[in-house]
Amino acid sequence: QEQLVESGGGSVRTGGSLRLTCAASGISYSNYCMGWFRQAPGKEREGVASINTGGALTYYADSVKGRFTISRDNARELLYLQLNNLKPEDSAVYYCAALFWTWGSDCKIETPASYDYWGLGTQVTVSS
């Protein structure tokens, strides 16, 4: 059964750091573009970062560039998101998502509807 499970969320103060982890199972992980999304109450789900199948190409939303880092470990089927210099506006439920790679895709952040599998999310709360 295909499954993505996020962990690592928590509550921090402004300027703090967290590392989120997403564990994949039941999919051919190395064949998937992976992404992190977030959704705050009353807002739409937004793409935060994505990474290509090999891990060499990464993409970020402007709001997190220079503060967040996405990475993956294909051998362990894990996806990471390092969150540094956190701000209150970063507070949201963070989700990982998997999109099966097809020829010609560069694994840039796509619309949420494009992704094949989703985790249940992990809460990040940043207080001032």
Side-chain angles (χ1 to χ4, degrees):
Q1 181 178 357
E2 304 86 1
Q3 193 172 21
L4 300 175
V5 179
E6 302 93 339
S7 62
S11 296
V12 298
R13 293 286 185 92
T14 298
S17 297
L18 287 170
R19 188 173 87 152
L20 307 183
T21 301
C22 171
S25 60
I27 65 173
S28 52
Y29 180 71
S30 61
N31 289 332
Y32 282 79
C33 307
M34 297 298 296
W36 286 99
F37 288 74
R38 66 186 181 187
Q39 188 166 19
K43 294 190 176 181
E44 292 188 353
R45 190 167 297 191
E46 64 170 344
V48 172
S50 66
I51 189 167
N52 76 330
T53 54
L57 298 177
T58 57
Y59 306 92
Y60 297 94
D62 287 343
S63 59
V64 307
K65 275 181 185 175
R67 300 189 298 122
F68 291 7
T69 304
I70 188 172
S71 61
R72 66 189 295 166
D73 182 337
N74 284 352
R76 299 176 65 194
E77 298 187 332
L78 296 172
L79 178 73
Y80 304 103
L81 186 68
Q82 178 67 41
L83 292 70
N84 294 331
N85 191 22
L86 282 160
K87 306 175 180 180
E89 52 264 41
D90 295 318
S91 297
V93 178
Y94 283 71
Y95 301 89
C96 67
L99 171 61
F100 188 75
W101 180 81
T102 55
W103 185 260
S105 170
D106 53 13
C107 293
K108 287 183 178 176
I109 300 171
E110 301 286 351
T111 59
S114 300
Y115 287 79
D116 301 304
Y117 302 108
W118 290 87
L120 296 180
T122 185
Q123 176 72 48
V124 171
T125 302
V126 185
S127 59
S128 56

